[in-house]
Amino acid sequence: MSARSVSPVLVGRSSELNRLRTALAEAPGALLIGGEAGVGKTRLLREFTERATADGARVLVGGCLELGSDGLPFAPFTAVLRGLVREIGIDGVAGLLPRSATGGLARLLPEFGEPETDAASGEERARLFELVLTLLERLAERTPTVLVIEDAHWADRSTRDLLAFLVRNAGTAPLLILVTYRADELHRTHPLRRLLAELDRVDRVRRIELTRLTRGEVGELARGLLDGEPPAGLVERVHERSEGNPLFVEALLARDGSLACGLPESLRDLLLAAVQRLPEETQDALRVASAGGTRIEHALLAAVSGMDDTTLTRVLRPAVEANVLVVDGDGYAFRHALIREALHDDLLPGEHTRLHARYAEALENDPVLAPSGRLWVLLSHHWYSAHDSTWALVSAWRAAGDARKAVAYAECLTMLSRVLELWHKVPDAAERIGAAHADVLEQAVMAAELAGEHERGIKLATAALREVEALGDDARCASLLEQRGQMSYELALPGYIDDLRAAVGRLPAEPPSAVRARALASLAKYARLITGTEEALVAARESLAIARRIADLDAEVDALLTLFCVDIDYDGGLEELQEVERIAQRSGNQRPLLRVAVLRSHYLEGSGRHAEAAEVARQGIELAREFGLSRTHGTFLAINMAEPLVSLGHWDEALVCLRQALEQDPAPAIRTSLHVLAGEIALARGDFAEAEAQLAPAREIMWRKTQDYFAMLRLESALRLAQGRPDEALASVENVLTNPDLPDDARYAWPVLLIGAHACGVLPDRAAGTAMLERIEKRAAELTVRGPLQEAHRVTFVAKTAHARGVWDRAAWDAAAVAWEGISEPFPQAKSLAHAAEAALADGDRDLAAARLHQAAALAERLRAEPLVRRVADLSRRARVNGAHAPAERPAHGLTPRELEVLRLVAQGRTNRDIAETLFISAKTASVHVSNILAKLEVASRGEAAATAHRLGLAGA
């Protein structure tokens, strides 16, 4: 995977782009656009001006030069005038001005001859300003005009005066003035600060402050740069280091798609430019501060630097005024972490070691100087950087203990990894921390598992196994095998079940032990997913028996939960889970309540109690956050929250939930269902491209776990059927036919069998369709129906199979609609109503058909299920039924329903980013749709497409 140097899409600036478009539509006016270097001001303007040009506006651009105040007055206006002459010629410019007035422009551009007078009086200056304003207004009278002045923080006095004149005196012509500046360059005495304050008081002047990107937006930017999904953990690391600055994100992504280790020279120069303008003593103090971290307490910096409070305040004041440092409570923070990194990287080796040693000594002498809960982490960092392995190791061990207590598992893993790294450099390491190397490895395995760092955890568990096996400790070996198996499962690695079986095999049945009970419970939990229920039931029952024999409440809770999920009865109740909750409360261990939330929400959704399921999952996500397990248990619970939201028709809310979960980079075992649910919403709304994009990662399944495998087949078969490829849809259904008896089979098999029955009815080869339908019916007959959700599927299946044989059974479709309404699933209810309407029309009952279509239309329109909306509308037109909310006939231009929706947004001036956010698709998918629209409408630009949409009445379609 290689990285682009610049992202092909603009990320995270949709609201700002909308403000620019609105400002142009309402011109005259001015927008002052501020933001730190690299935050994307130029990129935003490029995106806007390209669109404005395509829509017929004239764009004039001029940039201020860093040495403008040293002798290049009016530099940006000279550039604007030169560009205009290049475009329309000197005569063209002259034609816009009063007769013989062009000589006045000679002060800006020599091509206009010599100035009419050498005098530099105020009157001549005023005349020049009037000429420039006249020129711009005449241009704007012909066509809307955008004047862009970039980098105004470097503007000379003359440029600032002319700019202020233009903003204050612009008339009624549609002239939009855009000014960009670096907010981080505006120290307290900067001359632009005064001008900005004055312009803020002018009518029709507005400010835009560009902020840094969120983690999700950094992920989208990284995907654009890499032209694909970033490797696991990369987005998190890039966001942490770049702090959301787009330029820094682009600079930090190396050409091979990895995170650059050092800072590129161009980025280093940019970061240090403001520092190098500061007094030498301030630069020295900043170098000392750089060793303290991105944020440092004033008292700690004073102790390390040796300065008293007054001196330190005086020395640092220029850095604060230059916005290199910002005051943060009782300390300071570097404006950007990369400024600190660049300064720190410039320290000489000896200077680096001495500074960190001084920090460590200061903290040891006065621990109060460290922020609460951070003493041992800071000590470990500074001793490590000072190359003192012994105290770095001891401090890291203490820091790991603090992190574990604070449920900060990722930081705990980092500290334990440092202990392991330094172990062989400290001969008496075990004595110093009171733990053996194998003990540290085992703690690191646990931290990695809880932090969701499964790849790292597997390597640590393998290393720990080697050491523990040499000690002959079967119980510890069993625990490590169990943990490695569980983490291998999360990564969808083959062989995880072998580790779990080996863990049980390591432990004798007598005497009974909590370790064997846990190992059996884990085997049951995971074996049920791929091998059927028999092995799982045997293991779960033995686990429960052991737990009760030894009176181990934690083991009993684990065994009961596993036994519950081995064979879920959706006709039953929740008494078993309620009993588990009571036992967990007695044991004082709250952690099992997370698993209870997973199972309870899973059960409720499978029982058709969708609203209850969503609420239980939502509470579970909050509990996971409290326990520091958002990335593991929290993202799994996101599936259990999104699934009932999809069922209830709360699709937009579900998409937000899915997006937030995916942004946490969950394990492959979790990602599959997240992608499937997002793909099904896209498919229901007619966005085949997005559905295909979500299907691709969902298909990367390494084993046949019913919940994931059948769900992926459900999306794949439905998409192929919607694409008019029933033979391929049935190829997906075949995998369900040939894999019976998996756990929770009926819940996940029924929806795929429904799709298969539909595909059989439209297969061109009728004989093949009939033969396949018989196999599907045989598979369905073997399913046990449990709960109202599966009953709704069964009733619908009866209607589907009749339809596949050419029989319109209105009563069956009405029964299906009632069943879906009873469990509050509007989408299958609307589809069943549409089928019932078709059956009524086949019977000649137009009144009954109209009633069904009216209901179906209302449901489909609320869901924005465009294909179903159009199908209902088509049925209404064919049957000449009124009142079904059928949309007017759309002109035939070969546009798909989704493309019509995208075109409407293009006509509103929306960017690809806006369209993606509105329709809950990716920016890349939106770009594909726009390209298809331009081709089908035979136009060259978005502006032409918008004009065509308005002309043909598609803009409001």
Side-chain angles (χ1 to χ4, degrees), residues 171-193:
T172 58
L175 171 64
L176 175 63
I177 300 173
L178 304 178
V179 182
T180 71
Y181 60 92
R182 289 184 186 173
D184 50 317
E185 295 273 352
L186 302 189
H187 52 76
R188 292 180 181 178
T189 60
H190 197 290
L192 186 63
R193 291 177 72 100

Side-chain angles (χ1 to χ4, degrees), residues 537-667:
L537 280 171
V538 170
R541 287 167 180 159
E542 184 183 349
S543 174
L544 181 59
I546 293 173
R548 286 175 172 167
R549 277 181 66 188
I550 63 176
D552 187 320
L553 290 180
D554 288 344
E556 184 178 356
V557 166
D558 201 23
L560 284 170
L561 289 172
T562 301
L563 201 56
F564 176 84
C565 66
V566 166
D567 189 22
I568 298 176
D569 181 3
Y570 295 106
D571 279 324
L574 288 168
E575 292 79 10
E576 294 173 65
L577 284 181
Q578 290 165 351
E579 175 62 20
V580 171
E581 285 184 276
R582 286 192 288 270
I583 296 173
Q585 297 287 356
R586 288 205 310 273
S587 73
N589 183 4
Q590 301 294 301
R591 190 65 55 78
L593 297 180
L594 271 178
R595 197 171 166 205
V596 169
V598 169
L599 291 177
R600 184 192 286 272
S601 55
H602 177 85
Y603 170 86
L604 290 168
E605 172 60 14
S607 300
R609 295 158 66 177
H610 309 305
E612 293 176 72
E615 183 55 33
V616 169
R618 183 180 283 108
Q619 293 173 4
I621 290 171
E622 289 301 317
L623 191 61
R625 188 175 294 116
E626 289 178 23
F627 289 153
L629 299 172
S630 292
R631 190 182 171 203
T632 52
H633 291 69
T635 51
F636 192 94
L637 279 159
I639 300 172
N640 288 17
M641 179 176 166
E643 188 176 3
L645 290 174
V646 172
S647 299
L648 291 165
H650 301 167
W651 293 351
D652 292 343
E653 186 181 353
L655 286 168
V656 171
C657 176
L658 294 168
R659 184 179 300 143
Q660 290 173 344
L662 285 167
E663 284 178 356
Q664 295 188 61
D665 193 24

Side-chain angles (χ1 to χ4, degrees), residues 890-910:
R890 301 183 194 273
H893 292 279
L895 298 177
T896 66
R898 178 59 102 189
E899 287 167 353
L900 285 165
E901 199 169 8
V902 171
L903 178 59
R904 184 177 72 251
L905 295 172
V906 169
Q908 294 173 8
R910 304 288 191 90

Side-chain angles (χ1 to χ4, degrees), residues 635-749:
T635 51
F636 192 94
L637 279 159
I639 300 172
N640 288 17
M641 179 176 166
E643 188 176 3
L645 290 174
V646 172
S647 299
L648 291 165
H650 301 167
W651 293 351
D652 292 343
E653 186 181 353
L655 286 168
V656 171
C657 176
L658 294 168
R659 184 179 300 143
Q660 290 173 344
L662 285 167
E663 284 178 356
Q664 295 188 61
D665 193 24
I670 295 174
R671 285 201 299 268
T672 298
S673 290
L674 297 172
H675 285 297
V676 165
L677 291 168
E680 289 182 318
I681 295 173
L683 177 58
R685 285 180 164 167
D687 191 344
F688 293 179
E690 180 67 12
E692 195 77 64
Q694 296 291 347
L695 175 62
R699 294 185 81 250
E700 298 173 2
I701 298 173
M702 305 302 292
W703 75 94
R704 294 182 174 182
K705 173 190 169 189
T706 323
Q707 185 172 353
D708 291 335
Y709 185 50
F710 282 14
M712 182 279 292
L713 294 172
R714 184 178 72 223
L715 172 59
E716 186 174 55
S717 57
L719 178 57
R720 299 295 173 252
L721 183 59
Q723 291 169 332
R725 295 146 66 180
D727 53 336
E728 295 180 39
L730 289 172
S732 298
V733 175
E734 177 71 29
N735 293 293
V736 173
L737 300 183
T738 55
N739 284 281
D741 302 323
L742 290 178
D744 235 356
D745 180 38
R747 174 172 174 177
Y748 296 102

Side-chain angles (χ1 to χ4, degrees), residues 734 737-738 770-780:
E734 177 71 29
L737 300 183
T738 55
T770 300
M772 185 63 166
L773 184 61
E774 290 175 356
R775 293 181 61 206
I776 291 173
E777 287 177 312
K778 182 175 183 297
R779 175 80 160 85

Side-chain angles (χ1 to χ4, degrees), residues 334-492:
F334 283 90
R335 179 177 52 78
H336 197 286
L338 289 181
I339 297 177
R340 187 210 69 80
E341 183 178 331
L343 279 165
H344 191 256
D345 287 350
D346 274 355
L347 295 175
L348 297 175
E351 186 180 20
H352 177 278
T353 300
R354 287 193 301 274
L355 268 179
H356 282 287
R358 281 159 57 186
Y359 270 101
E361 290 162 358
L363 289 167
E364 286 190 340
N365 292 333
D366 188 0
V368 175
L369 294 174
S372 177
R374 301 292 295 169
L375 175 63
W376 294 108
V377 171
L378 291 174
L379 279 172
S380 177
H381 166 69
H382 289 301
W383 284 129
Y384 182 82
S385 298
H387 310 297
D388 189 322
S389 300
T390 298
W391 291 111
L393 180 144
V394 172
S395 301
W397 177 252
R398 297 287 298 271
D402 287 349
R404 189 182 306 107
K405 292 174 186 175
V407 297
Y409 299 116
E411 188 168 81
C412 178
L413 176 60
T414 299
M415 291 295 100
L416 290 171
S417 298
R418 178 168 292 168
V419 173
L420 293 169
E421 176 192 346
L422 297 173
W423 190 270
H424 299 294
K425 297 181 180 180
V426 182
D428 58 346
E431 289 76 15
R432 285 186 176 273
I433 67 172
H437 190 258
D439 299 327
V440 181
L441 279 170
E442 287 176 294
Q443 290 200 27
V445 171
M446 179 63 73
E449 184 178 14
L450 292 171
E453 297 290 341
H454 301 305
E455 289 185 16
R456 175 75 173 140
I458 290 170
K459 293 176 182 176
L460 288 165
T462 301
L465 270 168
R466 284 195 295 267
E467 294 194 19
V468 174
E469 282 176 341
L471 299 174
D473 191 330
D474 285 334
R476 291 169 73 183
C477 285
S479 293
L480 288 165
L481 285 166
E482 180 190 349
Q483 289 173 295
R484 189 172 71 177
Q486 290 172 342
M487 289 186 284
S488 296
Y489 163 83
E490 295 295 340
L491 293 177

Side-chain angles (χ1 to χ4, degrees), residues 164 166 206 223 422 439 595 686 699 754 790 792 840 868 905:
L166 295 175
R206 299 291 181 269
R223 282 187 284 276
L422 297 173
D439 299 327
R595 197 171 166 205
R699 294 185 81 250
L754 283 173
Q790 292 180 24
L868 184 56
L905 295 172

